Amino acid sequence: GADRADADGITGKGVKVAVLDTGSDLSHPQLLGIRGESMIQAQPLEWDENGHGTHVASTVAGAQFSHPQGLLQGVAPGAELIIIKVLGAGIGLGDWSDILAGMQRAAELGAKVISMSLGGDDNADPEASERRVVRQLTERGIICCIAAGNSGPGASTIGSPGSAADALTIGAISKTGIADFSSRGPTLLGLVKPDAVAPGVDILSGATGIIAAYRFIDGLGRFAAISGTSMATPAASGALALAEEYARRRSLTLTTPMVKEALARHYNREPDNTVGYG
């Protein structure tokens, strides 16, 4: 229904989406005018030396750009991006303390959707700090859209915080089906995950840094085609921004339980551990 949303002028306008990642190149033509900050003390600027965060942010809400492969545009180009750098060290490493601080900061800045293309090993602690923060934010009406991980196709490979019960956890599909690398459930606590899947294979989007240097195509070094549940998650986050604008036009606001109910109504009523609700 995204084409119908576009025809109705729904672009995610007025919806704040926080991207917690490696930062972003805010001089990129798809991201001009975006605000950013960093939770990493040793890297106080939002500059993206890796390129992962730029790719993710451009998928959520990148401005229109004419590329040799076609016209590029983020899923929700009208959404207001909030860039929060929580991963660094070039290859995108991070500490839970910075990630959790970034989640709280996103809430302070009014984010409706927090897009997190990141994760670590799952754990069986129901009160793990990352689960607790996801739950607290969800109770405040914030949707935490989190990557399932790239450790598939085996069972019980979902990463954390995507393993949190309250997360909207996203796996990856290609044009032909579920991506082999997309992590599967159940979680170590026995939860069915992911919650849904979105396009995550060979996604062409904005890039900078390491990714732009090694993965660009067609001679344009500020764009790259890469794969992962990291690429599927911002597609879902952009779709959530569109849905939230649609809901606001009807004096409603989305919550994570509402999204999962809608997925169950229109796709798989009983989710499975491969594609979730579908």
Side-chain angles (χ1 to χ4, degrees):
D3 54 341
R4 291 165 52 197
D6 189 51
D8 287 343
I10 294 173
T11 63
K13 183 178 181 180
V15 182
K16 293 183 179 181
V17 180
V19 173
L20 275 58
D21 213 289
T22 60
S24 284
D25 178 359
L26 303 187
S27 70
H28 193 280
Q30 287 196 290
L31 299 174
L32 298 176
I34 306 301
R35 63 181 297 182
E37 55 188 81
S38 175
M39 295 293 106
I40 303 174
Q41 187 172 4
Q43 294 180 286
L45 301 178
E46 77 287 334
W47 175 252
D48 182 13
E49 69 277 9
N50 178 276
H52 190 273
T54 298
H55 198 280
V56 167
S58 295
T59 298
V60 174
Q64 233 178 54
F65 185 87
S66 183
H67 187 276
Q69 292 288 331
L71 188 65
L72 302 185
Q73 180 174 280
V75 176
E80 181 180 338
L81 278 177
I82 301 170
I83 303 300
I84 302 179
K85 183 182 178 74
V86 297
L87 305 174
I91 58 174
L93 298 177
D95 295 324
W96 280 117
S97 58
D98 292 331
I99 293 168
L100 297 177
M103 295 171 73
Q104 298 286 9
R105 180 59 175 156
E108 292 172 4
L109 293 173
K112 176 63 184 180
V113 179
I114 300 179
S115 188
M116 300 173 63
S117 291
L118 53 80
D121 292 337
D122 194 12
N123 61 73
D125 179 3
E127 287 302 314
S129 56
E130 62 271 25
R131 284 194 175 93
R132 189 169 63 252
V133 173
V134 170
R135 180 171 67 245
Q136 292 168 349
L137 295 177
T138 302
E139 290 171 349
R140 293 169 59 180
I142 298 169
I143 302 173
C144 297
C145 190
I146 306 176
N150 302 327
S151 299
S156 298
T157 50
I158 300 288
S160 180
S163 58
D166 298 287
L168 188 67
T169 309
I170 307 299
I173 53 171
S174 68
K175 290 182 178 180
T176 58
I178 184 76
D180 190 59
F181 59 75
S182 187
S183 291
R184 273 75 157 171
T187 70
L188 293 185
L189 289 175
L191 299 176
V192 175
K193 287 285 181 175
D195 293 295
V197 289
V201 176
D202 294 332
I203 302 302
L204 180 62
S205 191
T208 193
I210 295 170
I211 287 177
Y214 289 99
R215 299 300 298 271
F216 74 91
I217 60 175
D218 291 324
L220 292 180
R222 304 190 78 177
F223 297 85
I226 56 178
S227 302
T229 58
S230 284
M231 285 61 255
T233 299
S237 297
L240 288 167
L242 298 179
E244 171 66 8
E245 183 188 352
Y246 178 87
R248 289 178 182 180
R249 291 187 180 190
R250 286 149 183 80
S251 301
L252 299 171
T253 185
L254 291 184
T255 64
T256 301
M258 286 170 62
V259 173
K260 293 182 180 182
E261 179 185 349
L263 289 169
R265 184 177 301 173
H266 295 286
Y267 296 95
N268 300 337
R269 181 158 293 280
E270 296 296 330
D272 63 39
N273 284 304
T274 301
V275 298
Y277 290 103

